[in-house]
Amino acid sequence: MDIQPFHIAISDSELDDLRQRLARTRLPAGIDNLGWREGTDSDFLKKLLSYWQHQFDWRKQEARLNQLPQFMAQIGEQQIHFIHQPGQGPNPMPLVLTHGWPGSFIEMAEIIPMLADPASYGGDAQDAFHVVVPSLPGYGFSSAPRTTGIGTQQTAALWAELMRALGYEQFAAQGGDIGAGVASWLARNYPQSLVGLHLNFIPGSYRPYLASDQPAVTEQEQSFLDQVAAWAASEGAYGHIQGTRPQSLAVGLNDSPAGLAAWISEKFQAWSDCHGNIESGIGLDALLTDISLYWFTQSIGSSFRMYVEGRAAPFSFARGERILPPLGVALFPAELPMPPRSWVERSYSVQRWTTMPRGGHFAALEYPADLAADIRAFFRPLRATS
């Protein structure tokens, strides 16, 4: 496998083009006082676009991200961008972290040093990890798949190959959103390599094996299924579009920074623990760094592929199938609908189930110290057996 160092270097011409497009933004007329009920709040969007055009400093963010050790790996036909931060401790455990949509590797920027060098953040050096953060295929600087069929299962195979190439025969996995699906497939298909997995979301398409010889669905489990159905009806239009007719949408978002900003910022506002105020919860700079990555890499369309592939291959189980490596789950209060422990235990080997005090869907970005502490706590007793 060919692995080369990587450095982010967006050209001045790309920055100029973005500013010119922002200056020519044509927003639709709207109804007053709608807020976020039907999409991105119009007043917020105007403020965000003005900040992006006149105040946001991409070069500052680029320099910050370039402090992370970044690489590009050629795995078959796929180029995978990744961060590889060696751990600072007596025996760091290899750990692969996987992001989701509409996030990116940028979500992990603050949590990486907390996991790699816990002693510098009030933790124990014994809990250190060698941290690997790849960008999903078609996200950020990872190349877009050239064929159909590259979903979470196939991505897990890429991650397993990458970790072996880095010299890690056994490793841990962590993920949320789409990353939870990738981490789960790693545990399912490579149990001999996985020390354990830690999730802050359960894959949306996960369905355990249910038949007459299995325990009946409990009242709590049925309540969760009803909640998922209600959420899909009121909030799930984006996923249906991205999974069925993504290319028509991608044309507009790839051409309009205003459209891209509206599409992505709505999800950060709705899915984070910001109490309706995205500026206090996420912050404009963090939000625009993520949006800018999608813009400069023109990856919004290719990022939708995971939704198409997810519909084609749901994360379901047949009779007798289970995930063997131990699982730890961190439940953040503002997360999307999460199942009860019993539903997860039907297919996973749950060993830790933690209710977190705060945070939402973007836990590594919102409260990285809280997530890092739970990851360290879960893997601590597993280090002796790895």
Side-chain angles (χ1 to χ4, degrees):
M1 182 186 299
D2 182 40
I3 298 178
Q4 298 294 330
F6 181 80
H7 187 82
I8 303 172
I10 302 302
S11 68
D12 288 340
S13 62
E14 290 177 280
L15 291 170
D16 291 340
D17 175 72
L18 172 59
R19 283 190 287 265
Q20 291 167 14
R21 288 172 183 261
L22 288 168
R24 297 194 302 269
T25 297
R26 187 182 67 176
L27 295 176
I31 297 175
D32 293 338
N33 302 317
L34 268 181
W36 293 85
R37 293 195 303 277
E38 297 180 7
T40 301
D41 177 80
S42 59
D43 290 336
F44 170 80
L45 182 59
K46 290 173 184 175
K47 179 178 181 178
L48 181 67
L49 297 178
S50 177
Y51 187 86
W52 200 5
Q53 181 185 354
H54 299 293
Q55 295 173 263
F56 176 69
D57 188 347
W58 168 258
R59 291 296 184 215
K60 178 180 177 181
Q61 301 302 323
E62 186 178 71
R64 177 179 65 90
L65 294 172
N66 277 331
Q67 293 177 3
L68 297 168
Q70 299 175 68
F71 302 88
M72 195 71 77
Q74 187 72 43
I75 311 177
E77 293 187 354
Q78 190 70 49
Q79 282 191 324
I80 295 297
H81 164 264
F82 68 99
I83 295 164
H84 183 200
Q85 182 66 67
Q88 303 297 312
N91 188 27
M93 175 184 285
L95 170 67
V96 58
L97 295 174
T98 310
H99 65 87
W101 186 93
S104 63
F105 78 93
I106 291 170
E107 286 181 71
M108 309 300 179
E110 288 192 48
I111 200 174
I112 288 170
M114 296 177 183
L115 294 170
D117 186 14
S120 293
Y121 295 85
D124 189 337
Q126 299 283 345
D127 290 332
F129 295 90
H130 294 308
V131 184
V132 179
V133 181
S135 295
L136 291 167
Y139 284 66
F141 298 105
S142 288
S143 63
R146 298 180 181 178
T147 61
T148 60
I150 309 297
T152 52
Q153 183 176 6
Q154 294 73 25
T155 301
L158 293 172
W159 280 199
E161 190 171 347
L162 174 62
M163 296 299 278
R164 285 195 296 267
L166 295 174
Y168 302 138
E169 294 298 324
Q170 283 197 310
F171 55 93
Q174 200 284 332
D177 194 76
I178 294 170
V182 174
S184 293
W185 275 115
L186 276 168
R188 185 172 178 175
N189 288 351
Y190 304 92
Q192 73 284 356
S193 298
L194 255 288
V195 176
L197 74 157
H198 182 281
L199 305 177
N200 53 289
F201 187 68
I202 301 301
S205 65
Y206 160 64
R207 290 296 181 272
Y209 178 72
L210 297 174
S212 58
D213 61 337
Q214 299 297 304
V217 174
T218 68
E219 183 177 341
Q220 189 180 27
E221 290 170 343
Q222 186 59 55
S223 177
F224 158 71
L225 294 174
D226 294 342
Q227 184 183 12
V228 169
W231 185 92
S234 62
E235 303 287 344
Y238 80 98
H240 193 73
I241 294 173
Q242 292 178 185
T244 58
R245 293 294 186 270
Q247 291 310 305
S248 300
L249 173 63
V251 171
L253 301 189
N254 197 66
D255 192 58
S256 167
L260 181 67
W263 193 255
I264 289 179
S265 61
E266 177 199 338
K267 299 312 172 194
F268 277 94
Q269 190 273 347
W271 299 350
S272 64
D273 193 10
C274 67
H275 305 286
N277 185 356
I278 191 172
E279 292 184 59
S280 65
I282 300 294
L284 297 186
D285 284 321
L287 178 61
L288 285 172
T289 302
D290 184 73
I291 295 171
S292 296
L293 178 69
Y294 277 89
W295 177 260
F296 291 131
T297 59
Q298 298 191 48
S299 57
I300 190 64
S302 53
S303 77
F304 293 163
R305 290 302 315 170
M306 284 292 177
Y307 286 79
V308 177
E309 304 301 343
R311 290 176 63 86
F315 193 64
S316 57
F317 288 76
R319 182 189 299 273
E321 285 187 316
R322 286 191 61 81
I323 291 178
L324 300 179
L327 167 67
V329 176
L331 293 160
F332 288 87
E335 181 56 275
L336 278 59
M338 285 282 282
R341 180 170 182 163
S342 63
W343 186 251
V344 181
E345 286 178 330
R346 289 174 180 266
S347 301
Y348 290 80
S349 302
V350 179
Q351 287 195 6
R352 180 181 173 89
W353 191 268
T354 310
T355 299
M356 308 299 286
R358 56 187 180 175
H361 193 64
F362 307 97
L365 181 64
E366 297 176 63
Y367 294 104
D370 292 2
L371 179 59
D374 199 69
I375 294 171
R376 293 196 297 258
F378 169 67
F379 284 108
R380 193 172 296 135
L382 301 178
R383 290 176 181 267
T385 60
S386 63

